[in-house]
Amino acid sequence: MPTQAYLLLGALLFSLGTLGVVLRTNALAMLISVELMLNAVNVTFVAAAREFGDLDGQVIAFFVIAVAAAEVAVGLAIVIDLARRKRSLDVDEASELRG
Amino acid sequence: MTAEQGIFAIAGGICVASAANAVLRRDPLVSALSLTVTLASLAVIYLGLGAPLLAGVQIAVFAGPVMVLLVFVVMLVGAGRIEAPRVGRPPIGGAAILVSVALFAVLASVILRGTVPTLVADRPSATDRVGALGELLFGKYLLGLEVTGILLLAALIAAVVIVKKRSSDRERSG
Amino acid sequence: MPVEILVIPLIVALACALPIGALARPLAVLGGLIVAADAAAGLWLGYGVSSPMDPAIGSILGADGFSGAMLVLTGVLFATGAAASTGVRSPRGYFALWSLLQVTVSGVFLARDLVLFFIFWEAMLVPLALLMWLWGGADRRAATFRFVLYTMTGSALFLIGIIALGVGAGTFSIPALAGYRLSEGSQIAFAVLFLAAFAVKLPLFPFHGWLPRAYAAAPLPVALVLSGIVAKTAVYGIARICVPLFPLGMSDLAPGLVALAAVGTLYGALLATRQCDTRGLIAFSSLSHLNLIGLAAVLGTVEAARAVIVASVSHGLVVAALFLLAGMLASRTGSSAFATGGLAARAPVLAMFTTFAIVAAIGVPGTSGFAGEFLVLASAYVRFPGAGLVATLVVIVAAVYGVRFLRATFFGAGAARGDDLSRRERAILIPLFVLILVVGLAPWTLTDSVRLVTAQTAELHR
Amino acid sequence: MTLALVVAFPLAAAILIALAGGRLGRRTTGVVASLAIFLSFGAAASMIATMLSRPLIEARIGPWLPIAGADFALVVDSSMLAVTLTITGVSALISVYSIGYLAHDRGTQRYFAALDLFVAAMLLIVLASNLALLFAGWELVGLCSYLLIGHVRERPAAGAAAVRAFVVSRVGDAAFLGGILLIATSFHTLDLAQIAGVAIEHGNMGTDPLVVASALLLVGALAKSAQFPLHVWLPDAMEGPTPVSALIQAATMVTGGVVLLMRMRSALAPDVLQAAAIIGGFTALGAALVAMGQRDLRRVLAWSTISQVGLMFVAAGLGAVFAARFHLISHALFKATLLLGSGSVVHAASDELDIGRLGGLGRRMRWTAGAFAVGTLALAALPPVSGFFSNEGIAAAALAESEPFLLGLALVTSFISAFYAARLFVLVFVARPTVEREVHESSVVMVIPIAILAAGALVFGGLVSSGVLPIGSGRADEAPISIVAISFAIALAGFSLGWLTYRHGLERARPVEEVTGRLANGFGVDWVYRVTFEQPFTAIARELDTGAERANQLAIDGLVLLVRASSTLVRRVQAGYVSRYEILLIGGAVALLAYWNWSAR
Amino acid sequence: MTTADAAAIAPVAALAFGACLIVAIDLLGKLGSRASASLGAIVALGAAVIAVAVGPGAPGFGAMVARDGVAVFFVALIGTVTAAVLVLGAGYVTRDDLPPGEVVALLLFSAAGAALMASANDLLILFLGLELLSLPLYVLAGLHRARIHGDEGALTYFLLGASASAVLLYGTALLYAATAQTTFTGLGRSTHNSLYLAGLALVLGGLAFKAALVPFHTWAPDAYESARTPVTAQMAVVAKVAAFAALLRVIAATSYGEAALDWQVSLAALAAMTIVIADLSALGQRRVKRLLAYSSVSHAGYVAIALAAAGAAAGPTIAFYLAVYAALTIGAFGVLTLLPNDDPTLDDLAGLARRRPVLVGALGVFLFGLTGVPPTAGFIAKLYVFEAAARGQLLWLVALGVLASVVSAAYYLRVLLACFAPPRLDAIAPGRARVGTAVVVVAAVVVLAVGLLPGPLLDAARTVRF
């Protein structure tokens, strides 16, 4: 397979991630979409690395996975905290923060 | 059709379909489960790309514990909380789709017009790949590794702070 | 001479940080007087006049005859205003800001570098706005906002011009820029940008939107310096920066500016005839006078420069007297509206003093008002007789608003209350009147010392 | 330096009185004021001897304005010396009279200060060597007239009259100033002698801007001298104390225009001088007609002043400088007599001004009546009183310049003048009183000045005409005997007609009054003035206030509103919807991507 | 690890280890909030001192971490600002019974991330630094007791921040695909491959988010308002300084050589949008923190003007500007930390002038400085920016910036004047926090001193070169 096919796959997944981020209003769904975006990035890294025949891309992908895990941890903590106070996870609900 | 092409076609197809499902379904639990499928199929694609270690990590870290955590939280905070349809707020679905489609269109154009330079490099054999990876991690990317460690520590402390805050809140309210 | 003129009021301002309470006012008066005396000595004894651009601190501060005259006026007016600032709330804060205002105003007259000029120019706003807001009258909120935003917009365009000019020429020094050759088109463009600030602060008709409310809302001594000397910084800017730096551009713009100024002169006077309180009257009569001064300032001839100096000093003195009298009237009648009438019988000296101030304001010969007006018009007639004739009509309108005010305040049946002027009030006014007569009878005391400078201006204009 | 003292005495007295405040005492103030003017008169008189050997006396006191010629400098020739003597002499007598007239007034200090300043200012008009200083006097005269007319500040009518006098005067001042500045622009000097020199050298001022300048100067002169159409202030000005009227009409202010015409004669455009003569002629006739119908004693005199000054304009416009000066002086004497006399009458008759309600005062106030009689005869231009000779001089001048039309006007005017002069005298002093009242002669301090003035009016004309008394250069046109006869006949006819008509009082002359009363409103010029000047003025000011100024303020408010509205609009982006923020974020990224992909090369 | 490596990473390491140390001490024996804050401040200041003391030199970690003038200046600035924030926050943490050691540690971690960003010479390190900067701030933004909008703000910040990181990361991936490496040095040697350009565009987008340039600014008002004021100051200054330092480096790396890129159009567009939208948005604000949030967005626009005009040569200009901005912002937010109400409206400031004249005087200096009125340093900073813009032929941006400053005067002035309103009856007299007041006064003095004598700071800023 040409590398470009993988890159296109990455682009498609990234775009789907952004679609989720802009379309969904549930905080968890948005978090899920962000994870999707990060994975799209990893596809790109790994595919490019194979093209170059080096391993840097793969190493970076490891870091990305670690960072993504950290992000998920923090994100989930915030979500749980919010859910406990407010019986909704809808981020677009009438907010005090506006203007 | 080579094996790689087959893997790409099948795993890629599953990957995109489940990703679309994850993004478009209203129920976060379905989204979370669909994402797990996506992550798993991506691991397969990594295999096809000759990155077995990464595929393993993908399953072991991402599709495994992270997703379990995610599903757990989704169920904890109420799996049944299905996104309400947009009422009384300006419709943005059209704009959202437009932005995403535009993004994909631009990215596709970029990728199709761009070139990935072919570098003449000695392809390391599959056997010493793990070792080479380790060398890179603890050599060239040592700083990255250290920072990632600190990052995880910071995330841990951050979570602790939230928890402590919750307990102090509870004391206050209770 | 330049440095101590900035340092003395600065010391006064800093002294206000100490718990000096009641001493603040005399200190501010003293500061003003010392500066006036210092500047006058410099002006008439000739140091600072000997060379047109006397370098003092490097090349950025310096004084010449023009700025010397303005600095004398600055000192006199700040001393007068401080003397009139009796019974203000939080006197230390007030006089600290007051003295800072004096520093910035003096700085404008001393700056020989565009950036420094702008720094003083813009810094002027800070104490001015705070004084207006914190010690002002009923409408102070809206008036201050309007004033600050209006003037800042003008200054913003000015800053654009400064930056573009300085970057293009590679220097911000005013004397150096005066020798910098610009094409006619860019001279016009820069002149317009610079004039934006000056036209608003003067204010040139029709950019006077802030003026009536600011004059009405500002505390009286602040209104006094606002009209008496702050407006003169704009005149100074036109005559000493725009004209020398952009002679061709100003020459091209002159017909339009002169037309605006002539119309504004009449316009202000006509509106003054409609006012029913002293602040409004002073505001619009000042608008009229300041436009007349502006008319001469854009001309750029030697005669015009002399006229500008005499008229500026005159207007400063006269408007100070008018504001002081307005305050004294208001303290007797309880409001600044002037439909009280009959005050002459109870307060003949007040009536006499007010009549004299009005007489000076409307330009009766013998007073400085006439000298300034006559010289301005004379310089205008040389190139723009038509506009000059239009502006001359102000003689009639000024008479109308002047005597209308006197009639409404002093004529008619005896007023119920109102004491005559106290000794202290007379003591503040009489020096001003003496100066008004001195300038009116011997305007050459001011113009002789600036011969050198105006000659240079004229040379640049050619 | 004696010349400087002429002006300095009254000026110093004015300053002294103003500064001294009430400390000087009421009577002392008057004495100081009068003394100063007498000293000024003396100083002027002392120059007569010098004048015999020199054509001009000059005095440069110091610099003033930084414009060529605009110095403190005075100049006098024999003609203007005569005028100076008249002004100071008559003013001094009026000042003395005022001491008595204002014996009970509270504001003597400011009265006498203004009076002295008034005299000084008038002397500046006569003596200034340059236009700037002349203008200074010109304006100060207006200011002083304002202060004096409005002297009694409690009276609303006085305030209104003062305002009107000042504003109309300033209309003239504005025109005058414009004229001066145009001249300065063309001649590069304000020195009168230099201007005249240049003007004579290059022929008269024929170029357009100088015609305009001349016309503007003429407008100034018209306003100061209360000539049509700027005469509206003078009848109202009678609201001031009577000595003030005397000062304005006899000694100082109204003659200012004539003095200007005389002094600027060589520099003014010929057409403009011609216009001055014609306007003067019409004003003379019109004002005389109006005077016929007045019932207010002082208004009769006011209109007569307008009329008489009109005759001076005729003479001055025609170039008959001597005749103009002759009439100026003679008019100053007899009009001062009349006005001061009328002041005594008013004083005596407890402020009654309606001539229909006076009468028979002749027997009770013999001194006053006698003086008034002299003045009346002079006004009627009957010999041997001075008015006869000076009027005759004007008629002769009109004839000499072959202006039959102006001659006609002058003669008709003199007929009417004689008529209303007789009317006035008869009704006040001769006819049987309609109301009985206790009247008595005024105090000595008031009677003596009147007597002196009347004596002057009586003999002055003859002395000048016979050449005994010189009044400066030039001489009267030789009047043909026919003109003398005709003018005498006309005056006599008018006087007799007036006497006969009114000898039995106003009631008996009702049919005549019906006719003349219609003219009393001054041909409606007052109304025209209000409609064409005052009302448009206030209307323009009002429209600017409610229109332009409002719009200016609203424009700022509008700008502020615009910024506020855009602020509200922009802030709607920040509505708290996270998904919208995401759209912005991703959209921004897409835009950057698109730009870099397609444009940045 | 070589000496060069150690020298390059020393300040970051100091911050990170300081954070760990504080957590450890806190675990062993309870550390009071004041003590932990003081300790943290010492650590932060120490990091700044280390950065300056070590000075510029050879890069470390295979050129992944730079040790040039840019790094030294900005790391020192970040350390100083963090120290000031910690001092201001000393009394703050106890107020709500938060775990003081952990909070201080999080602030230090974020500073470490910022310092890493400022010295990163590699896209991966940049990304990791950015995450290390952001993750603690996400959590700190939500530490608002009993206020739902605290969590809301945190969530908004987190979701948008995570998306922006993903964008940046994707840009990194595209650049990697185009150049086969992630170092900045590699970027400069590339050709105009569309993958390369797209990658740069996305990196720019990701950094613009941290710098809060419109349209990537939407998180700022919400996060600033919901965070505690010292944390807000940290977000407003440290994150922005780090983002601009990184952006400067990226621009520098791609501005020279045969593949030199023109950043002017996109940066100018961002700058213009930022200034206009931010100033308009700030106009109607009644909540002071939100107003200052928009103000800080607007100031990012001015920095962007300098970058657009001068590119990599804008280093000294933006260094000067950011330093002045740091003093002004720390000062302004510092004044707010001394008020009883954490999220005051303009009405809550009523009467402050009478009760705390010194504080209001200082606030006046900051607000006039933020407006750019002489003789404050704010004017000089803006003047340099405009001068750079004029040199770069961007006169229209000068005009826009200058006029926007006028609009900004409208809202800054309102804040100041609100302090002079007559006090309301129920307003609580603000307590006296000596240390906080000292910080504020020092900041005010700095602002005035730099305004009158800009020389020394300008000399320091001139070292910000490549």
Side-chain angles (χ1 to χ4, degrees), chain A residues 11 14 31 34 41 44-45 49 52 54 57 60 63-64 67 71 74-75 81-82 85-86 91 95-99, chain E residues 124 128 131 139 146 149 151-153 155 158-159 162-163 166 169-170 173 176-177 180 182 222 225 285 287 290 294:
Chain A
F14 191 82
L31 187 57
V34 171
V41 172
T44 310
F45 269 122
F52 302 140
D54 65 14
I60 295 172
F63 288 130
V64 172
V67 170
E71 255 184 17
V74 170
D81 201 41
L82 181 71
R85 292 166 186 271
K86 193 179 163 189
V91 294
S95 166
E96 283 181 53
L97 300 169
R98 54 171 70 204
Chain E
L124 178 69
L128 291 174
E131 286 295 324
V139 174
H149 81 219
D151 288 328
E152 250 181 41
L155 187 63
F158 170 75
L159 288 172
S163 314
L169 193 59
Y170 193 60
Y176 175 71
T182 53
D222 293 5
E225 190 186 352
Q285 294 301 334
R287 290 191 198 151
R290 219 169 161 73
Y294 281 117

Side-chain angles (χ1 to χ4, degrees), chain C residues 104 214 439:
Chain C
T104 53
V439 175

Side-chain angles (χ1 to χ4, degrees), chain D residues 354-360 431-437 504-507:
Chain D
D354 187 348
I355 50 177
R357 296 165 63 81
L358 292 164
R432 186 173 304 150
T434 47
V435 186
E436 278 306 324
R437 52 165 63 84
H504 296 301
L506 206 57
E507 285 307 308

